Amino acid sequence: MLADVKEWLREEPRQALALGISAVALLLSFLEVVPGPVDPAWLAVLLCGVPIIKEGAEGLFTRFDIKADVLVSLALLASVIIGEIFAAGEVAFIMQLGALLEERTVAKARAGIERLVHLTPRTARRLDGTAESIIPAEEVRVDDLLRVLPGETIPVDGIIVSGQTAIDQSVMTGESLPVDKGPGDTVSSGTVNQFGAFDMRAVKVGEDSSLQRMIRLVQSADAGKARIVSLADRWATWIVVTALTAAAGTWIVTGEVLRAVTILVVFCPCALVLATPTAIMAAIGNATRHGVLVKEGDALERLARVRVVAFDKTGTLTRGTPGVAHVHSALPELAPQQLHLLTAAAERRSEHPLGKAIVRDAGTQDIPEAEDFRMLPGRGVSARVDGHALLAGNPALLQDNGIALSPTDKEEAQRALDAGQSLVYVALDGRFAGFIALADSLRNTAAATLQGLRDAGVSTMLLTGDNEAAARSVSGGLALDGVRANCLPADKLEWIADSQRQERPVCMIGDGINDAPALKKAFVGVAMGGIGSDIAVDAADMALVHDDIKELPHIFALSRRMMRTITLNLSFSMILNFAAIFLAMGGLLSPVLGALVHNAGSVLVIINSALLLNWRHKEAGR
């Protein structure tokens, strides 16, 4: 927050100076410290009030757009007419401060697109015969031959012509595990080469590449996402007409201009203007205590209208990192734990993420030393461990070495594959020894979270870039209302757009770069703030700071409670204002008493909103 304030001070020094001077002037006026013949509050009226009046007049006379700023302008002018300069300056200052916070929120929401642009590779290695040259990525042409080294980002879409590797495709698909690639396989720009150099032929370059298409998806999703108009603005037209009619009618009937001015004063929309933002700020404070960062000012208001929650799988419903789910030994004399340790010894020097997961899950146990380690790109690894020749890798590695699986072992492997697990096959001394199954495990709180959402009347959907088997594995352990697998970013975007066209507002929960377009398009986007990418967080309206989805039912209930509080605030302020109008029309309320009435209404609205700070959903305490 402090960083945001400092950034704004650098970007908008004039606005910061105006608000600072206004705050000091209002403080001096409140303390009745008058250094000259003029009330210091006049500075706040001029610096903050004049822009409001100008904007209200432009909207009214050029577009006939009557919003809350027109009502505020009338209140400012009425307060000045009766000499309530401090009240006029105070209202102007609060309105300008609120406008500032809204502007900063919108600016932050655009940062995700800039981060996506920065992901675009700057250079590429082009091959010309035996010569290799580094060129700007935008100069790559279709059919150019490129070389990609380990750890580098792939500059354009293309097809591998030589070499074996594993590609981290999470940027595009959200898949939790890297995908082995070899000659003939396609690769996408923005994805990362994990290990093993390879040569590729460029197929889609420049604006046609996958990463550039994703950037355009985020931009189009943002442009098509309408902002909610505040309730105060929705009611403003009728309020302005009522106030002006009542004031003009009273003046005509009684001939007393003071009564007419009093009506405008008691209709000063302080309580009305405060009704929504005070409730929202209190609800945001409540959400923050529960580990939810609310980035968009109207996000909670929109969340109250959501009817469908769509989840990404990896890193959202699951932990996002592969782990050993099962070890199958095919040799009677070899225990599963021993097979795990032998494989971990061979994989200790491997750069493959699956190999690293096997080593990590072996824990602090005594892992033997390996000799003659060799990396076999596109196949796996080989080594000598405890005097045994060990191979660990994919089925192609076993096939190359003439090692076959028994029918029983094939059935066991197929069951693991059907459960969405990735397998590392192991052979010892030329015999099939078994396999290690790895999978991304469900979060402990996933089932309870989905049940809480269903209890709130919200349906749940899984949108994942993983394959059908992995999707079924997750949906089997959770009572989801629907599942869609093999989803690219455009597929998620299309599903969300279709749902919202059917008037079923969607809340998207995701964590990866590939989720950014969907998070931006959804009625409400919620990103995993801890493990999620910066781009996903920037694209979302909210972020789960501690990656704890168990708070989602509370936040949904909080949003609906907040809307009830806003409605109560608005109803109370309107009833109070209309009662004051009738008293003013009858001459029973003076301008001074009218100012007291609308200030009292503002205080009660703030107190009612403050109750949201410590409110807790009754189901959350279970």
Side-chain angles (χ1 to χ4, degrees), residues 65-92:
D65 190 11
I66 301 176
K67 291 186 177 179
D69 52 5
V70 175
L71 200 57
V72 172
S73 299
L74 290 175
L76 286 173
L77 294 173
S79 298
V80 170
I81 289 172
I82 65 169
E84 290 286 339
I85 308 304
F86 177 80
E90 180 185 24
V91 171

Short mmCIF file of all heavy atoms in Angstrom, two decimals, residues 65-92:
data_model
loop_
_atom_site.label_atom_id
_atom_site.label_comp_id
_atom_site.label_asym_id
_atom_site.label_seq_id
_atom_site.Cartn_x
_atom_site.Cartn_y
_atom_site.Cartn_z
N ASP A 65 -26.01 13.49 -18.48
CA ASP A 65 -25.65 12.36 -17.63
C ASP A 65 -25.70 12.81 -16.17
O ASP A 65 -24.79 13.49 -15.69
CB ASP A 65 -24.24 11.88 -18.01
CG ASP A 65 -23.89 10.56 -17.35
OD1 ASP A 65 -24.80 9.94 -16.78
OD2 ASP A 65 -22.71 10.17 -17.40
N ILE A 66 -26.77 12.46 -15.49
CA ILE A 66 -26.95 12.91 -14.10
C ILE A 66 -26.45 11.82 -13.16
O ILE A 66 -27.04 10.74 -13.07
CB ILE A 66 -28.43 13.22 -13.80
CG1 ILE A 66 -28.93 14.30 -14.75
CG2 ILE A 66 -28.60 13.66 -12.36
CD1 ILE A 66 -30.40 14.61 -14.60
N LYS A 67 -25.32 12.09 -12.51
CA LYS A 67 -24.74 11.14 -11.56
C LYS A 67 -24.58 11.81 -10.21
O LYS A 67 -25.02 12.94 -10.00
CB LYS A 67 -23.40 10.63 -12.08
CG LYS A 67 -23.53 9.73 -13.30
CD LYS A 67 -22.20 9.13 -13.69
CE LYS A 67 -22.34 8.18 -14.87
NZ LYS A 67 -21.04 7.59 -15.27
N ALA A 68 -23.93 11.09 -9.31
CA ALA A 68 -23.80 11.59 -7.94
C ALA A 68 -23.03 12.91 -7.89
O ALA A 68 -23.25 13.72 -6.99
CB ALA A 68 -23.11 10.55 -7.06
N ASP A 69 -22.11 13.15 -8.87
CA ASP A 69 -21.35 14.39 -8.81
C ASP A 69 -22.23 15.62 -9.05
O ASP A 69 -21.93 16.72 -8.57
CB ASP A 69 -20.18 14.37 -9.81
CG ASP A 69 -20.60 14.01 -11.22
OD1 ASP A 69 -21.81 13.86 -11.45
OD2 ASP A 69 -19.71 13.87 -12.08
N VAL A 70 -23.35 15.45 -9.78
CA VAL A 70 -24.30 16.55 -9.94
C VAL A 70 -24.95 16.88 -8.61
O VAL A 70 -25.09 18.04 -8.22
CB VAL A 70 -25.38 16.19 -10.98
CG1 VAL A 70 -26.44 17.29 -11.07
CG2 VAL A 70 -24.74 15.96 -12.35
N LEU A 71 -25.32 15.82 -7.89
CA LEU A 71 -25.92 16.00 -6.56
C LEU A 71 -24.93 16.64 -5.60
O LEU A 71 -25.28 17.54 -4.81
CB LEU A 71 -26.38 14.64 -6.04
CG LEU A 71 -27.42 14.61 -4.93
CD1 LEU A 71 -28.68 15.34 -5.35
CD2 LEU A 71 -27.75 13.17 -4.56
N VAL A 72 -23.69 16.20 -5.64
CA VAL A 72 -22.66 16.77 -4.77
C VAL A 72 -22.43 18.23 -5.13
O VAL A 72 -22.27 19.09 -4.24
CB VAL A 72 -21.35 15.97 -4.91
CG1 VAL A 72 -20.21 16.66 -4.16
CG2 VAL A 72 -21.52 14.56 -4.39
N SER A 73 -22.44 18.55 -6.42
CA SER A 73 -22.26 19.95 -6.85
C SER A 73 -23.35 20.84 -6.28
O SER A 73 -23.09 21.96 -5.80
CB SER A 73 -22.26 20.04 -8.38
OG SER A 73 -21.21 19.29 -8.93
N LEU A 74 -24.61 20.37 -6.32
CA LEU A 74 -25.71 21.15 -5.76
C LEU A 74 -25.52 21.37 -4.25
O LEU A 74 -25.76 22.46 -3.74
CB LEU A 74 -27.04 20.43 -6.01
CG LEU A 74 -27.52 20.41 -7.47
CD1 LEU A 74 -28.78 19.55 -7.59
CD2 LEU A 74 -27.79 21.82 -7.96
N ALA A 75 -25.07 20.29 -3.57
CA ALA A 75 -24.85 20.42 -2.14
C ALA A 75 -23.72 21.40 -1.84
O ALA A 75 -23.80 22.19 -0.88
CB ALA A 75 -24.51 19.05 -1.54
N LEU A 76 -22.67 21.36 -2.65
CA LEU A 76 -21.56 22.30 -2.46
C LEU A 76 -22.04 23.74 -2.62
O LEU A 76 -21.75 24.61 -1.79
CB LEU A 76 -20.45 22.00 -3.48
CG LEU A 76 -19.58 20.77 -3.25
CD1 LEU A 76 -18.67 20.54 -4.45
CD2 LEU A 76 -18.75 20.92 -2.00
N LEU A 77 -22.77 23.99 -3.69
CA LEU A 77 -23.26 25.34 -3.95
C LEU A 77 -24.22 25.80 -2.86
O LEU A 77 -24.16 26.96 -2.40
CB LEU A 77 -23.93 25.40 -5.32
CG LEU A 77 -23.00 25.16 -6.52
CD1 LEU A 77 -23.80 25.05 -7.82
CD2 LEU A 77 -21.96 26.27 -6.63
N ALA A 78 -25.11 24.89 -2.42
CA ALA A 78 -26.06 25.25 -1.37
C ALA A 78 -25.34 25.55 -0.06
O ALA A 78 -25.68 26.50 0.66
CB ALA A 78 -27.07 24.13 -1.17
N SER A 79 -24.32 24.75 0.25
CA SER A 79 -23.55 24.97 1.49
C SER A 79 -22.83 26.31 1.45
O SER A 79 -22.76 27.03 2.45
CB SER A 79 -22.54 23.84 1.69
OG SER A 79 -23.19 22.60 1.83
N VAL A 80 -22.29 26.66 0.28
CA VAL A 80 -21.60 27.95 0.14
C VAL A 80 -22.60 29.10 0.28
O VAL A 80 -22.32 30.12 0.94
CB VAL A 80 -20.87 28.02 -1.23
CG1 VAL A 80 -20.37 29.45 -1.48
CG2 VAL A 80 -19.71 27.05 -1.25
N ILE A 81 -23.80 28.95 -0.29
CA ILE A 81 -24.81 30.00 -0.24
C ILE A 81 -25.20 30.34 1.20
O ILE A 81 -25.36 31.51 1.56
CB ILE A 81 -26.06 29.59 -1.05
CG1 ILE A 81 -25.72 29.61 -2.56
CG2 ILE A 81 -27.24 30.51 -0.76
CD1 ILE A 81 -26.81 29.03 -3.43
N ILE A 82 -25.32 29.31 2.04
CA ILE A 82 -25.74 29.57 3.43
C ILE A 82 -24.55 29.75 4.36
O ILE A 82 -24.72 29.83 5.58
CB ILE A 82 -26.64 28.44 3.95
CG1 ILE A 82 -25.86 27.12 4.03
CG2 ILE A 82 -27.89 28.29 3.10
CD1 ILE A 82 -26.60 26.04 4.77
N GLY A 83 -23.32 29.76 3.79
CA GLY A 83 -22.14 30.04 4.61
C GLY A 83 -21.52 28.84 5.28
O GLY A 83 -20.65 29.01 6.14
N GLU A 84 -21.96 27.62 4.93
CA GLU A 84 -21.36 26.41 5.52
C GLU A 84 -20.13 26.02 4.70
O GLU A 84 -20.12 25.02 3.97
CB GLU A 84 -22.39 25.28 5.54
CG GLU A 84 -23.53 25.47 6.51
CD GLU A 84 -23.10 25.26 7.94
OE1 GLU A 84 -22.06 24.58 8.17
OE2 GLU A 84 -23.77 25.77 8.84
N ILE A 85 -19.07 26.83 4.81
CA ILE A 85 -17.87 26.62 3.97
C ILE A 85 -17.14 25.34 4.35
O ILE A 85 -16.65 24.61 3.48
CB ILE A 85 -16.93 27.84 4.07
CG1 ILE A 85 -17.69 29.14 3.79
CG2 ILE A 85 -15.76 27.68 3.12
CD1 ILE A 85 -18.40 29.14 2.45
N PHE A 86 -17.05 25.07 5.65
CA PHE A 86 -16.34 23.86 6.08
C PHE A 86 -17.04 22.60 5.52
O PHE A 86 -16.38 21.68 5.04
CB PHE A 86 -16.28 23.77 7.60
CG PHE A 86 -15.63 22.51 8.11
CD1 PHE A 86 -14.25 22.37 8.13
CD2 PHE A 86 -16.41 21.42 8.52
CE1 PHE A 86 -13.65 21.20 8.57
CE2 PHE A 86 -15.81 20.24 8.96
CZ PHE A 86 -14.44 20.14 8.99
N ALA A 87 -18.38 22.57 5.60
CA ALA A 87 -19.13 21.42 5.08
C ALA A 87 -18.88 21.25 3.58
O ALA A 87 -18.70 20.14 3.08
CB ALA A 87 -20.62 21.59 5.36
N ALA A 88 -18.86 22.36 2.85
CA ALA A 88 -18.61 22.29 1.42
C ALA A 88 -17.22 21.75 1.12
O ALA A 88 -17.03 20.87 0.27
CB ALA A 88 -18.78 23.68 0.80
N GLY A 89 -16.21 22.26 1.83
CA GLY A 89 -14.84 21.79 1.63
C GLY A 89 -14.67 20.33 2.01
O GLY A 89 -13.94 19.58 1.34
N GLU A 90 -15.35 19.91 3.08
CA GLU A 90 -15.22 18.53 3.55
C GLU A 90 -15.78 17.56 2.52
O GLU A 90 -15.15 16.54 2.19
CB GLU A 90 -15.98 18.38 4.87
CG GLU A 90 -15.94 16.99 5.47
CD GLU A 90 -16.82 16.88 6.70
OE1 GLU A 90 -17.78 17.68 6.82
OE2 GLU A 90 -16.56 16.01 7.52
N VAL A 91 -16.97 17.86 1.99
CA VAL A 91 -17.59 16.99 0.98
C VAL A 91 -16.70 16.92 -0.27
O VAL A 91 -16.47 15.84 -0.84
CB VAL A 91 -18.99 17.49 0.62
CG1 VAL A 91 -19.54 16.74 -0.58
CG2 VAL A 91 -19.93 17.34 1.80
N ALA A 92 -16.17 18.08 -0.69
CA ALA A 92 -15.32 18.11 -1.89
C ALA A 92 -14.06 17.28 -1.69
O ALA A 92 -13.65 16.52 -2.59
CB ALA A 92 -14.96 19.55 -2.22
#
